[in-house]
Amino acid sequence: MRMGTIADAANKEASGSSLANEKVTVVFVLGGPGSGKGTQCANIVQHFRYTHLSAGDLLREEIKSGSGNGTMIQTMIKDGKIVPSEVTVMLLLRAMRESGNDKFLIDGFPRNEENRVAFEAVINIEPAFVLYFDCPEDEMERRLLKRNQGREDDNIVTIRKRFKVFMESSLPVIEYYNSKGKVCKIDAGKPAEEVFEAVKAVFA
């Protein structure tokens, strides 16, 4: 199936599935690699009963499932192509419907303006707000190198590339929502406990 067809299939599956008329709360969680998003999302889930969805995890699960969609996604990634935004949005929508919850943290998404536009077009809702973990680059670098969980992408050259991609792709999304007064910026350079105190203040 060609790239156009995969996006068409995603649109077809998602059409009529917009969440616009349902009382759903979506919070986008953005921050550079090593900014502590994962740790804080786990805390929010525990304290505020949100469902945590990671676009990257959903794509990986779809590949593992061996479905037709999963095989196409895997081929595209292997070929160095970017998975169409509609496909990621379709996976998010499906996960939201299956969760039985009405409050969602969407982690590491939208990665870029195209993702943002696709999400709002297909799901037909805007986020309640964007939780932006703002962390100095040298601190994120230190954390990633220390973490080194056997992840081959945690070496200095790749880490810096990931920072660059985040700055170029995700900052325009943050700026867009900031212009609408929807960004809650958290100083993520502090110890995790202190960061969560600031997060709690936002959700309370």
Side-chain angles (χ1 to χ4, degrees):
M1 194 184 268
R2 286 176 302 103
M3 183 169 144
T5 329
I6 187 173
D8 295 343
N11 279 329
K12 193 173 172 190
E13 181 170 329
S15 64
S17 308
S18 114
L19 298 174
N21 300 322
E22 299 176 31
K23 288 201 182 329
V24 169
T25 303
V26 168
V27 175
F28 289 148
V29 183
L30 294 174
S35 59
K37 295 192 309 292
T39 302
Q40 297 305 330
C41 281
N43 287 336
I44 296 163
V45 167
Q46 198 180 343
H47 283 78
F48 299 102
R49 301 284 178 253
Y50 273 70
T51 294
H52 177 213
L53 299 175
S54 154
D57 287 352
L58 290 173
L59 286 166
R60 283 186 283 275
E61 281 162 23
E62 192 68 17
I63 290 168
K64 262 193 209 158
S65 76
S67 71
N69 239 350
T71 308
M72 283 183 285
I73 292 165
Q74 188 171 28
T75 305
M76 292 187 73
I77 291 169
K78 263 191 193 153
D79 292 345
K81 292 177 184 154
I82 291 171
V83 178
S85 295
E86 293 87 350
V87 174
T88 309
V89 170
M90 176 196 73
L91 294 175
L92 285 167
L93 179 61
R94 190 166 73 194
M96 289 163 84
R97 291 208 170 282
E98 287 171 358
S99 74
N101 199 352
D102 59 359
K103 298 193 298 184
F104 302 96
L105 291 175
I106 300 186
D107 175 6
F109 183 94
R111 279 185 186 276
N112 52 39
E113 274 290 282
E114 192 205 344
N115 280 177
R116 178 189 70 73
V117 171
F119 184 89
E120 291 186 5
V122 173
I123 299 189
N124 206 16
I125 54 172
E126 282 196 11
F129 59 92
V130 175
L131 196 59
Y132 171 38
F133 289 102
D134 185 28
C135 191
E137 200 168 301
D138 57 348
E139 174 61 16
M140 291 193 283
E141 197 173 282
R142 189 188 65 75
R143 289 176 186 176
L144 290 172
L145 290 170
K146 185 180 168 195
R147 180 172 83 185
N148 195 11
Q149 303 162 318
R151 282 176 57 163
E152 60 196 46
D153 56 352
D154 282 354
N155 67 64
I156 200 81
V157 176
T158 320
I159 284 169
R160 286 179 181 163
K161 272 188 196 155
R162 286 166 68 202
F163 289 153
K164 189 167 181 280
V165 168
F166 173 74
M167 295 301 282
E168 287 170 358
S169 304
S170 300
L171 274 188
V173 175
I174 293 162
E175 281 160 9
Y176 170 83
Y177 285 118
N178 198 36
S179 73
K180 303 186 105 182
K182 287 194 168 210
V183 173
C184 294
K185 188 169 162 183
I186 303 285
D187 178 358
K190 296 175 178 174
E193 304 74 33
E194 284 182 45
V195 174
F196 189 52
E197 286 306 314
V199 169
K200 274 199 290 201
V202 170
F203 281 86

